[in-house]
Amino acid sequence: MNKNWWKEGVVYQIYPRSFKDSNGDGIGDLRGIIEKLDYLKNLGVNIIWLCPVYKSPNDDNGYDISDYRDIMDEFGTKEDFNELLKEMHSRDIKLIMDLVVNHTSDEHKWFVESKKSKDNQYRDYYIWRDGKDGNPPNNWGSFFSGSAWKYDETSDQYYLHLFSTKQPDLNWENEKVRKEVYDMMKFWLDQGIDGFRMDVINLISKVPGLPDGDKGEDDLYGNGFPFTANGPRVHEYLQEMNKKVLSKYDIMTVGETPGVTPEIGKLYVDNDRNELNMVFQFEMMEIDSGEEGKWDIVPWRLTTFKNIMYKWYTGLKEKGWNSLFLNNHDQPRMVSRFGNDKKYRVESAKMLATFLHTWQGTPYIYQGEEIGMTNVEFKNIEDYRDIEIINMFKEKSEQGIDKDVLMKAIYAKGRDNARTPIQWDSSNNAGFTSGEPWIAVNPNYKEINVEKALEDKNSIFYYYQKLIKLRKENEIIVYGDLELIDRENESIFAYARNYNDEKLIVILNFYGENTKFKFHEDFQDKKVNLLISNYEVEDNNINDIILRPYEARVYKINSK
Ligand code: NOJ
C-alpha cells in the first residue's frame, strides 16, 4: 500500500462561525482561530479543514459564496488569512480549504450577470430552463424544502438550485465554468494551502433532459437525486480537474459524496483513476433514517454499523482510502447520537473516539468533539439559525405535522446541534465571544468546556491526545489490515489489525451495561499489552473479560 501524509494525519474540522470570536461581534473569525492554534497543536492534530471562509451573504453560512477569492467580512481580511496559514505551517499543521463549486451565491457576480438577460455572456454559467405550463421545468424538490427551481421574471425562465434559492447550481457542462473553477483552485493552492474538501462534488453533473423524479402520493416534490448524484460526466470532470490542477501539487482531497456506495466510492478514490484521495460516505449518517429520510428517525443497530464500516473497508482497501467521521457541521453530535450524552458521556465519547482512531482510514475530529460536546435542545424554533431546519419546520407545519414532533426531530438531527459555539470556559457565553453570539451557547457549558478538560487528566481531551499519539507511533494503526471479530455481536464491536507480524485487538462496548467478551482461543495464551483504555484496567488477563458500560480497550498481542 502507498504511504501518504494524508493517510497518517489526523484532521480537525473548524466551522469558523462557531469556533472563536476575537472581536466581540458574536461571530467566530480567523484571528480567533489563530489564538487557538496552540490548543490544537497540543491536541496533536496536523491537518485543519476549514469550512468556507470566502465572501458570502450567509444564507447557508458560507456555503453560498459570492466571491471565491476574498474573505468573508465577518471572518476577517486577506491579511488575517495569510497570517493564519503562516502560523499553521510554522506549527506543522496543514490547511485544507472547502471548495464549494456545485453552486455559488445568487450574489456572485456571475449570477448577477447571468440573470440580466438570456444573451448575457454568463447566462450559460447556470442551469436555466423554460417552465412547463406555468410550473417549474421539472418536479424536483430542493434539499432545503420547496421546489429546486426558482422563477425569474426578467427572462421568464427558471434556474436550478438544489439547495437554497440563494444557491444557484453552476452549469459544469460549460467549459468556461470549469476553467474558472480550476483557476480559482490554483489561486489558493499557489498561496500554499494543502488541499480541498469538496462540497457535494458528486452532484456537479446532471442527467441531460433533467427528467422528473419519482414522487409518492404524499410527497410535495419528486426525487431529483438519481438525476443529480454521480451523474454521467462527473468522473470526466474530476479527471480533468486532477490533470489540470490537483496533480500539480502535493495535496490532499476529500469529496463530500452523498448517496455513494463503496462500489461507486471506489470510482472516485481508486489511485489509478486520478480523481480524489478520499470521499465522505453517508451510509453511516443514514443509519438512523427511516423511509421518509433524515427527519424520520429510527433506531440503529450495531451490526448495521459494523457492516457499513467493514463493507467500506473491503471496498476501498486495495486501491483507495477511507475517511472516518461520526459527526460534522451538518450532523448531530456523535456522543448524543451513538453514545450516551448523560450518565456515560465521558466514557462513550472516549469509546467512539477509540473506534475512529483505530479503524483503517483518516480520522476527522469535528470541533468540540474532543471535549465531548453534546446536542442542544432550544425551546423555540426562533432560536434556530439553520436554513434547513427553518425551511423544513415551515413546510412541514404548513402540512399540518405536529410542532412537538418536528422539534423532537430537530433535537435529534438538526444541523444546529453541531453549530453552537465552542465551549472554551465557564465564563459568559462559554468564553466564545464578549458580545452576543450569533446562535446561543449550549446551556451545559459550565460543565463541559475546554478549560475544565485541560485541568482534568482523565478528560476526553487527553484521551484524544493519547489516541493521536498512539497513531503516530504505531504504523499498524494506520496501515494494518482489518479483521472483524464476533461480527454478529449486537453490543460489542471487536476487530483485529494486522501488520507485518504485529497484531492489535480493539474491543468496544457500545452498550450501557456490563457485557462479557470472550477472546478467541488463539489469543488466550498470548501475552498482551494494553495500549489504551477509557477505564482503569487491573490486569492483563484476557480470558472472559467483563467490559463496563462503553468500555474500550486496545491490546497489542505479542507474538510469543
Ligand atoms: C454540504 C455542506 O456540508 C452543507 O453545510 C451545505 O449546506 C451544503 N453542502 C450545500 O453547500
Side-chain angles (χ1 to χ4, degrees), residues 13 15 49 51-52 60-64 98 100 102-103 143-144 163-164 167 197 199-200 203 256 258 282 328-330 386-388 415 419:
Q13 182 193 351
Y15 194 69
W49 151 26
C51 284
D60 185 20
N61 291 353
Y63 282 92
D64 48 320
D98 224 300
V100 188
N102 173 67
H103 45 266
F143 286 106
F144 292 162
F163 294 89
S164 93
Q167 292 167 298
R197 173 269 186 190
D199 193 64
V200 288
L203 303 188
E256 188 205 24
F282 287 89
N328 62 31
H329 64 294
D330 294 329
D386 172 25
I387 182 166
E388 182 188 40
R415 304 197 297 181
R419 298 177 180 186

CSV table of all heavy atoms in Angstrom, one decimal, residues 13 15 49 51-52 60-64 98 100 102-103 143-144 163-164 167 197 199-200 203 256 258 282 328-330 386-388 415 419, ligand 1:
chain,number,residue,atom,x,y,z
A,13,GLN,N,-11.7,19.5,12.0
A,13,GLN,CA,-12.6,20.4,11.2
A,13,GLN,C,-13.0,21.6,12.0
A,13,GLN,O,-13.6,21.5,13.1
A,13,GLN,CB,-13.9,19.6,10.8
A,13,GLN,CG,-14.8,20.4,9.9
A,13,GLN,CD,-16.2,19.8,9.7
A,13,GLN,OE1,-16.4,18.7,10.0
A,13,GLN,NE2,-17.1,20.6,9.1
A,15,TYR,N,-15.5,24.9,12.0
A,15,TYR,CA,-16.6,25.7,11.5
A,15,TYR,C,-16.4,27.1,12.1
A,15,TYR,O,-16.8,27.4,13.2
A,15,TYR,CB,-17.9,25.0,12.0
A,15,TYR,CG,-19.2,25.5,11.3
A,15,TYR,CD1,-19.4,25.1,10.0
A,15,TYR,CD2,-20.1,26.2,12.0
A,15,TYR,CE1,-20.6,25.5,9.3
A,15,TYR,CE2,-21.3,26.6,11.3
A,15,TYR,CZ,-21.5,26.3,10.0
A,15,TYR,OH,-22.7,26.6,9.4
A,49,TRP,N,-9.2,21.2,8.4
A,49,TRP,CA,-10.2,21.5,7.4
A,49,TRP,C,-11.0,22.7,7.8
A,49,TRP,O,-11.7,22.6,8.8
A,49,TRP,CB,-11.0,20.3,7.0
A,49,TRP,CG,-12.4,20.6,6.5
A,49,TRP,CD1,-12.8,21.7,5.8
A,49,TRP,CD2,-13.6,19.8,6.6
A,49,TRP,NE1,-14.2,21.6,5.5
A,49,TRP,CE2,-14.6,20.4,6.0
A,49,TRP,CE3,-13.8,18.5,7.2
A,49,TRP,CZ2,-15.9,19.9,5.9
A,49,TRP,CZ3,-15.1,18.0,7.1
A,49,TRP,CH2,-16.1,18.7,6.5
A,51,CYS,N,-14.0,25.1,7.1
A,51,CYS,CA,-15.3,25.3,6.4
A,51,CYS,C,-15.2,26.7,5.7
A,51,CYS,O,-14.3,27.5,6.0
A,51,CYS,CB,-16.5,25.2,7.3
A,51,CYS,SG,-16.8,23.5,7.8
A,52,PRO,N,-16.1,27.0,4.7
A,52,PRO,CA,-15.9,28.1,3.9
A,52,PRO,C,-15.7,29.4,4.6
A,52,PRO,O,-16.4,29.8,5.5
A,52,PRO,CB,-17.1,28.2,3.1
A,52,PRO,CG,-17.7,26.8,3.1
A,52,PRO,CD,-17.3,26.2,4.4
A,60,ASP,N,-26.5,30.3,3.8
A,60,ASP,CA,-26.2,28.9,4.2
A,60,ASP,C,-24.9,28.9,4.9
A,60,ASP,O,-24.0,28.1,4.7
A,60,ASP,CB,-26.3,27.9,3.1
A,60,ASP,CG,-26.1,26.5,3.5
A,60,ASP,OD1,-26.3,26.2,4.7
A,60,ASP,OD2,-25.8,25.6,2.6
A,61,ASN,N,-24.6,30.0,5.7
A,61,ASN,CA,-23.4,30.1,6.5
A,61,ASN,C,-22.1,29.8,5.7
A,61,ASN,O,-21.3,29.0,6.0
A,61,ASN,CB,-23.4,29.1,7.7
A,61,ASN,CG,-24.4,29.6,8.8
A,61,ASN,OD1,-25.0,30.6,8.6
A,61,ASN,ND2,-24.6,28.8,9.8
A,62,GLY,N,-22.0,30.5,4.6
A,62,GLY,CA,-20.7,30.5,3.9
A,62,GLY,C,-20.7,29.4,2.7
A,62,GLY,O,-19.8,29.4,1.9
A,63,TYR,N,-21.7,28.6,2.7
A,63,TYR,CA,-21.8,27.6,1.6
A,63,TYR,C,-22.5,28.3,0.4
A,63,TYR,O,-22.8,27.6,-0.6
A,63,TYR,CB,-22.4,26.3,2.0
A,63,TYR,CG,-21.4,25.4,2.8
A,63,TYR,CD1,-21.4,25.5,4.2
A,63,TYR,CD2,-20.6,24.6,2.1
A,63,TYR,CE1,-20.4,24.7,4.8
A,63,TYR,CE2,-19.6,23.9,2.8
A,63,TYR,CZ,-19.5,23.9,4.2
A,63,TYR,OH,-18.6,23.2,4.8
A,64,ASP,N,-22.7,29.5,0.5
A,64,ASP,CA,-23.2,30.3,-0.6
A,64,ASP,C,-22.2,31.4,-0.9
A,64,ASP,O,-22.2,32.4,-0.2
A,64,ASP,CB,-24.6,30.9,-0.3
A,64,ASP,CG,-24.7,31.6,1.1
A,64,ASP,OD1,-24.0,31.1,2.1
A,64,ASP,OD2,-25.3,32.7,1.2
A,98,ASP,N,-12.4,24.5,2.1
A,98,ASP,CA,-13.6,24.0,1.5
A,98,ASP,C,-13.7,24.5,0.1
A,98,ASP,O,-13.4,25.7,-0.2
A,98,ASP,CB,-14.8,24.5,2.3
A,98,ASP,CG,-15.8,23.4,2.6
A,98,ASP,OD1,-16.3,22.9,1.6
A,98,ASP,OD2,-16.1,23.1,3.8
A,100,VAL,N,-16.5,24.9,-2.8
A,100,VAL,CA,-18.0,24.8,-2.9
A,100,VAL,C,-18.3,25.2,-4.4
A,100,VAL,O,-18.4,26.4,-4.7
A,100,VAL,CB,-18.7,25.7,-1.9
A,100,VAL,CG1,-20.2,25.4,-2.0
A,100,VAL,CG2,-18.2,25.5,-0.5
A,102,ASN,N,-20.5,23.3,-6.6
A,102,ASN,CA,-21.7,22.8,-7.3
A,102,ASN,C,-22.6,24.0,-7.5
A,102,ASN,O,-23.4,24.0,-8.4
A,102,ASN,CB,-22.4,21.8,-6.4
A,102,ASN,CG,-23.8,21.4,-6.9
A,102,ASN,OD1,-23.9,20.8,-8.0
A,102,ASN,ND2,-24.9,21.9,-6.3
A,103,HIS,N,-22.4,25.0,-6.7
A,103,HIS,CA,-23.3,26.2,-6.7
A,103,HIS,C,-22.5,27.4,-6.3
A,103,HIS,O,-21.5,27.3,-5.6
A,103,HIS,CB,-24.6,26.0,-5.9
A,103,HIS,CG,-24.3,25.5,-4.5
A,103,HIS,ND1,-24.3,24.1,-4.3
A,103,HIS,CD2,-23.9,26.0,-3.4
A,103,HIS,CE1,-24.0,23.9,-3.0
A,103,HIS,NE2,-23.7,25.0,-2.4
A,143,PHE,N,-33.0,20.3,-1.5
A,143,PHE,CA,-32.6,19.7,-0.2
A,143,PHE,C,-33.1,20.5,1.0
A,143,PHE,O,-33.2,20.1,2.1
A,143,PHE,CB,-31.1,19.6,-0.1
A,143,PHE,CG,-30.4,18.6,-0.9
A,143,PHE,CD1,-29.8,18.9,-2.1
A,143,PHE,CD2,-30.6,17.2,-0.6
A,143,PHE,CE1,-29.2,17.9,-2.9
A,143,PHE,CE2,-30.0,16.2,-1.3
A,143,PHE,CZ,-29.3,16.5,-2.5
A,144,PHE,N,-33.3,21.8,0.7
A,144,PHE,CA,-33.8,22.7,1.8
A,144,PHE,C,-35.3,23.0,1.7
A,144,PHE,O,-35.7,24.2,2.0
A,144,PHE,CB,-32.9,24.0,1.8
A,144,PHE,CG,-31.5,23.8,2.2
A,144,PHE,CD1,-30.5,24.7,1.9
A,144,PHE,CD2,-31.1,22.6,2.9
A,144,PHE,CE1,-29.2,24.6,2.2
A,144,PHE,CE2,-29.7,22.5,3.2
A,144,PHE,CZ,-28.8,23.4,2.9
A,163,PHE,N,-29.9,23.4,-3.6
A,163,PHE,CA,-30.0,23.9,-2.1
A,163,PHE,C,-30.9,25.1,-2.1
A,163,PHE,O,-32.0,25.1,-2.7
A,163,PHE,CB,-28.6,24.0,-1.6
A,163,PHE,CG,-27.9,22.7,-1.5
A,163,PHE,CD1,-27.1,22.2,-2.6
A,163,PHE,CD2,-28.0,21.9,-0.4
A,163,PHE,CE1,-26.5,21.0,-2.6
A,163,PHE,CE2,-27.4,20.6,-0.4
A,163,PHE,CZ,-26.7,20.2,-1.5
A,164,SER,N,-30.5,26.1,-1.3
A,164,SER,CA,-31.5,27.2,-1.2
A,164,SER,C,-31.7,28.0,-2.4
A,164,SER,O,-30.9,27.9,-3.4
A,164,SER,CB,-31.0,28.2,0.0
A,164,SER,OG,-30.3,29.2,-0.5
A,167,GLN,N,-28.7,29.7,-3.7
A,167,GLN,CA,-27.5,28.9,-4.1
A,167,GLN,C,-27.7,28.3,-5.5
A,167,GLN,O,-27.9,27.0,-5.7
A,167,GLN,CB,-27.3,27.8,-3.1
A,167,GLN,CG,-26.8,28.3,-1.7
A,167,GLN,CD,-26.9,27.3,-0.6
A,167,GLN,OE1,-28.0,26.8,-0.3
A,167,GLN,NE2,-25.8,26.9,-0.1
A,197,ARG,N,-11.5,20.1,0.7
A,197,ARG,CA,-12.7,19.3,0.9
A,197,ARG,C,-13.7,19.8,-0.1
A,197,ARG,O,-14.0,21.0,-0.1
A,197,ARG,CB,-13.1,19.5,2.4
A,197,ARG,CG,-14.4,18.8,2.8
A,197,ARG,CD,-15.6,19.7,2.5
A,197,ARG,NE,-16.8,19.2,3.0
A,197,ARG,CZ,-18.0,19.7,2.8
A,197,ARG,NH1,-18.2,20.8,2.1
A,197,ARG,NH2,-19.1,19.1,3.3
A,199,ASP,N,-17.3,20.2,-1.5
A,199,ASP,CA,-18.7,20.2,-1.2
A,199,ASP,C,-19.5,19.5,-2.2
A,199,ASP,O,-19.4,19.8,-3.4
A,199,ASP,CB,-19.1,21.7,-1.0
A,199,ASP,CG,-20.5,21.8,-0.3
A,199,ASP,OD1,-20.6,21.4,0.8
A,199,ASP,OD2,-21.4,22.3,-1.0
A,200,VAL,N,-20.4,18.6,-1.8
A,200,VAL,CA,-21.3,17.8,-2.7
A,200,VAL,C,-20.7,17.7,-4.1
A,200,VAL,O,-21.4,18.0,-5.1
A,200,VAL,CB,-22.7,18.4,-2.7
A,200,VAL,CG1,-23.4,18.1,-1.4
A,200,VAL,CG2,-22.8,19.9,-3.0
A,203,LEU,N,-22.5,16.0,-7.2
A,203,LEU,CA,-23.7,16.5,-7.7
A,203,LEU,C,-23.5,17.4,-9.0
A,203,LEU,O,-24.4,17.9,-9.5
A,203,LEU,CB,-24.5,17.3,-6.7
A,203,LEU,CG,-24.9,16.6,-5.4
A,203,LEU,CD1,-25.8,17.5,-4.6
A,203,LEU,CD2,-25.6,15.3,-5.6
A,256,GLU,N,-17.1,15.4,-0.7
A,256,GLU,CA,-18.3,15.1,0.0
A,256,GLU,C,-19.3,14.5,-1.0
A,256,GLU,O,-19.6,15.1,-2.0
A,256,GLU,CB,-18.9,16.3,0.6
A,256,GLU,CG,-20.1,16.0,1.5
A,256,GLU,CD,-21.1,17.2,1.7
A,256,GLU,OE1,-21.2,18.1,0.8
A,256,GLU,OE2,-21.8,17.2,2.7
A,258,PRO,N,-22.7,12.4,-1.0
A,258,PRO,CA,-23.9,11.7,-0.5
A,258,PRO,C,-24.4,10.7,-1.5
A,258,PRO,O,-24.2,10.9,-2.7
A,258,PRO,CB,-24.9,12.9,-0.3
A,258,PRO,CG,-24.4,14.0,-1.2
A,258,PRO,CD,-23.0,13.9,-1.2
A,282,PHE,N,-22.0,8.6,3.3
A,282,PHE,CA,-23.1,9.0,4.1
A,282,PHE,C,-23.9,7.8,4.5
A,282,PHE,O,-25.0,8.0,5.2
A,282,PHE,CB,-23.9,10.1,3.6
A,282,PHE,CG,-23.1,11.4,3.7
A,282,PHE,CD1,-22.2,11.8,2.7
A,282,PHE,CD2,-23.1,12.1,4.8
A,282,PHE,CE1,-21.4,12.9,2.8
A,282,PHE,CE2,-22.4,13.3,5.0
A,282,PHE,CZ,-21.5,13.6,4.0
A,328,ASN,N,-20.1,16.0,11.9
A,328,ASN,CA,-19.5,17.2,11.3
A,328,ASN,C,-20.5,18.4,11.4
A,328,ASN,O,-21.5,18.2,12.2
A,328,ASN,CB,-19.2,17.0,9.8
A,328,ASN,CG,-20.4,16.6,8.9
A,328,ASN,OD1,-21.5,17.1,9.2
A,328,ASN,ND2,-20.2,15.8,7.9
A,329,HIS,N,-20.3,19.5,10.7
A,329,HIS,CA,-21.2,20.6,10.9
A,329,HIS,C,-22.6,20.4,10.4
A,329,HIS,O,-23.5,21.3,10.6
A,329,HIS,CB,-20.6,21.8,10.2
A,329,HIS,CG,-20.5,21.6,8.7
A,329,HIS,ND1,-19.7,20.7,8.1
A,329,HIS,CD2,-21.2,22.3,7.7
A,329,HIS,CE1,-19.9,20.7,6.8
A,329,HIS,NE2,-20.8,21.7,6.5
A,330,ASP,N,-22.9,19.3,9.7
A,330,ASP,CA,-24.2,19.0,9.2
A,330,ASP,C,-24.9,17.9,10.0
A,330,ASP,O,-26.1,17.5,9.6
A,330,ASP,CB,-24.2,18.5,7.7
A,330,ASP,CG,-23.7,19.6,6.8
A,330,ASP,OD1,-23.9,20.8,7.0
A,330,ASP,OD2,-23.0,19.2,5.8
A,386,ASP,N,-30.3,27.6,11.3
A,386,ASP,CA,-30.0,26.8,10.1
A,386,ASP,C,-31.2,26.9,9.1
A,386,ASP,O,-32.3,26.5,9.5
A,386,ASP,CB,-29.7,25.4,10.5
A,386,ASP,CG,-29.5,24.5,9.3
A,386,ASP,OD1,-29.2,25.0,8.2
A,386,ASP,OD2,-29.7,23.3,9.4
A,387,ILE,N,-30.9,27.2,7.9
A,387,ILE,CA,-31.9,27.3,6.8
A,387,ILE,C,-32.6,26.0,6.6
A,387,ILE,O,-33.8,26.0,6.3
A,387,ILE,CB,-31.2,27.9,5.5
A,387,ILE,CG1,-32.3,28.1,4.5
A,387,ILE,CG2,-30.1,27.0,5.0
A,387,ILE,CD1,-31.9,28.9,3.3
A,388,GLU,N,-31.9,24.9,6.7
A,388,GLU,CA,-32.5,23.6,6.5
A,388,GLU,C,-33.6,23.4,7.6
A,388,GLU,O,-34.7,23.0,7.3
A,388,GLU,CB,-31.5,22.5,6.6
A,388,GLU,CG,-32.1,21.1,6.3
A,388,GLU,CD,-31.2,19.9,6.5
A,388,GLU,OE1,-30.5,19.9,7.5
A,388,GLU,OE2,-31.3,19.0,5.7
A,415,ARG,N,-29.0,20.4,12.2
A,415,ARG,CA,-27.6,20.8,12.0
A,415,ARG,C,-27.1,21.7,13.0
A,415,ARG,O,-25.9,21.8,13.3
A,415,ARG,CB,-27.4,21.4,10.6
A,415,ARG,CG,-27.9,20.4,9.5
A,415,ARG,CD,-27.3,20.8,8.1
A,415,ARG,NE,-27.7,22.1,7.7
A,415,ARG,CZ,-27.3,22.7,6.5
A,415,ARG,NH1,-26.6,22.0,5.7
A,415,ARG,NH2,-27.8,23.9,6.1
A,419,ARG,N,-23.5,23.3,15.7
A,419,ARG,CA,-23.1,24.6,15.4
A,419,ARG,C,-23.1,25.6,16.5
A,419,ARG,O,-22.9,26.8,16.4
A,419,ARG,CB,-23.9,25.2,14.2
A,419,ARG,CG,-23.8,24.3,12.9
A,419,ARG,CD,-24.6,24.8,11.8
A,419,ARG,NE,-24.4,23.9,10.6
A,419,ARG,CZ,-24.9,24.1,9.4
A,419,ARG,NH1,-25.7,25.2,9.2
A,419,ARG,NH2,-24.7,23.3,8.5
B,1,NOJ,C1,-22.9,20.3,2.2
B,1,NOJ,C2,-22.4,21.2,3.3
B,1,NOJ,O1,-21.7,20.4,4.2
B,1,NOJ,C3,-23.6,21.8,3.9
B,1,NOJ,O2,-23.3,22.5,5.1
B,1,NOJ,C4,-24.2,22.8,2.8
B,1,NOJ,O3,-25.4,23.3,3.3
B,1,NOJ,C5,-24.5,22.0,1.5
B,1,NOJ,N1,-23.4,21.1,1.2
B,1,NOJ,C6,-24.7,23.0,0.4
B,1,NOJ,O4,-23.5,23.6,0.1
